Amino acid sequence: MEKQQLIIIGSGPAGYTAAIYAARANLKPILYTGFKAGLEGGQLMTTTDVENYPGFPEGILGPEMMMAFKQQAKRFGTDIRAEDVLSVNLKKAPFTVTTADTTMETKALIIATGANAKRLDIPGTREGEMWQKGDSSCAVCAGAAHIIRGKTLFVIGGGDSAVEEAIFLTKYAAKVYIVHRRDQLRASKIMAERAKNHPQIEILWDSVLDSVAGDTVVSSVVVHNLKTNQQSSYPAGGVFFAIGHSPNVDFLQGQIPLTQSGYISVEKGTSKTAIEGVFAAGDVQDDRYRQAVTAAGSGCMAALDAERFLSESGV
Ligand code: NAP
């Protein structure tokens, strides 16, 4: 079995930043980009303009930014492997990391597997129904699809993602409704104002999606006002969920303690998990900030913590 000093799982800002620091510290890290159907590059691959990452005064496209992170990690010698990690064994050191092709041993591990978009279990939106036929949790991926062009679209949620997706979809849609369960958006003020002032966006307050219908693609939705208890049917060409995220921890199979909300628990102010030699970075351990810049910062912390752990272990 191949033996490594450091394996990093995940290819978002946290994983690549950890790789940049670890490679520069000569730890020869291996970085697995995937983690069970994970998207290489993480959530920024499905984002349009990133306007709040310092150093890009004009903004930068999410995928472009992730390619730059990747090139920088490669430049210092990170061994980047486009494979999904299927399982890990953290019961004793050295730990093992298994993909479809190999199992490797490693002295230290950084988990930076991020979080995935949540969906709701609503009639018409399940696999085999209208999922990916106008139902999606990724506006950027589906935005240009011909089936939604010129149609009325629905975005579910009231956070920054919902607003961002709604604004993005106005490029293709005739009209975009944001369906939000409360009477106030969770989105930041600047984003909320953009949504409220956008001529193609209307917000359905205190409302939830009851069902989605269609033959081969989405053609209508039923929305339910929680205050008036009234149901309304609308013609629709697509439905997009933007209701938050859940951390990608299933592949750990309960081997690391999690927080109450299911994120990896780390020692305050560090990236150390309850298992010595295993570190966590980015959204998989952060249900509070969840920003590209905070993920990158925590990736740096994980690499520094791993480096110290390895040198104290005599590596
Ligand atoms: P979020 O802030 O957690 O918002 C999730 C939204 O979905 C909330 O409005 C929530 O309603 C709603 N929701 C949750 N569960 C629901 C359910 N079962 N049924 C109906 N609605 C439900 O998630 P996010 O928008 O993905 O943002 C995550 C983080 O990324 C935030 O920190 C955000 O600022 C950041 N972000 C930033 C940008 C940007 O700056 N460009 C873009 C995207 C995301 P309630 O409000 O009632 O809880």
Side-chain angles (χ1 to χ4, degrees), residues 118-120 122 155-159 162 177-187 202-210 223-229 240-245 290:
K118 283 189 201 161
R119 281 160 59 177
L120 291 176
I122 286 175
V155 175
I156 317 302
Y177 286 98
I178 293 177
V179 180
H180 185 37
R181 61 184 178 182
R182 291 188 296 130
D183 61 1
Q184 221 177 4
L185 291 175
R186 177 176 296 278
E202 183 175 337
I203 305 174
L204 299 176
W205 301 105
D206 304 304
S207 296
V208 293
L209 182 71
D210 271 1
V223 174
H224 173 184
N225 184 302
L226 297 168
K227 284 214 167 130
T228 62
N229 215 14
F240 297 85
F241 292 113
I243 57 163
H245 295 83
R290 293 179 294 182

Side-chain angles (χ1 to χ4, degrees), residues 139-150:
V140 178
C141 320
H146 68 281
I147 56 169
I148 62 167
R149 277 178 182 255

Side-chain angles (χ1 to χ4, degrees), residues 7-89:
I7 290 181
I8 298 164
I9 312 174
S11 54
Y16 282 136
T17 304
I20 292 164
Y21 274 78
R24 282 174 53 83
N26 219 10
L27 295 178
K28 300 187 173 53
I30 287 193
L31 181 147
Y32 286 113
T33 59
F35 42 88
K36 275 202 172 159
L39 185 66
E40 181 177 335
Q43 293 173 71
L44 281 175
M45 297 302 281
T46 58
T47 305
T48 49
D49 294 313
V50 180
E51 293 177 335
N52 49 13
Y53 199 96
F56 299 93
E58 307 304 324
I60 180 169
L61 291 173
E64 218 173 277
M65 185 168 169
M66 291 326 298
M67 284 308 109
F69 269 69
K70 184 178 182 177
Q71 277 163 10
Q72 197 171 350
K74 254 188 171 163
R75 181 180 152 210
F76 296 110
T78 307
D79 180 350
I80 298 175
R81 304 198 180 189
E83 286 179 69
D84 273 355
V85 171
L86 303 179
S87 64
V88 292
N89 187 344

Side-chain angles (χ1 to χ4, degrees), residues 112-186:
T113 49
N116 266 349
K118 283 189 201 161
R119 281 160 59 177
L120 291 176
D121 186 31
I122 286 175
T125 67
R126 298 165 187 147
E127 302 291 340
E129 295 180 330
M130 292 294 115
W131 189 247
Q132 303 301 358
K133 296 173 192 161
D135 278 342
S136 168
S137 57
C138 175
V140 178
C141 320
H146 68 281
I147 56 169
I148 62 167
R149 277 178 182 255
K151 304 271 175 64
T152 299
L153 305 179
F154 288 75
V155 175
I156 317 302
D160 279 326
S161 298
V163 170
E164 189 180 63
E165 300 217 343
I167 291 170
F168 174 77
L169 287 168
T170 58
K171 289 195 226 167
Y172 307 98
K175 173 157 190 163
V176 181
Y177 286 98
I178 293 177
V179 180
H180 185 37
R181 61 184 178 182
R182 291 188 296 130
D183 61 1
Q184 221 177 4
L185 291 175
R186 177 176 296 278

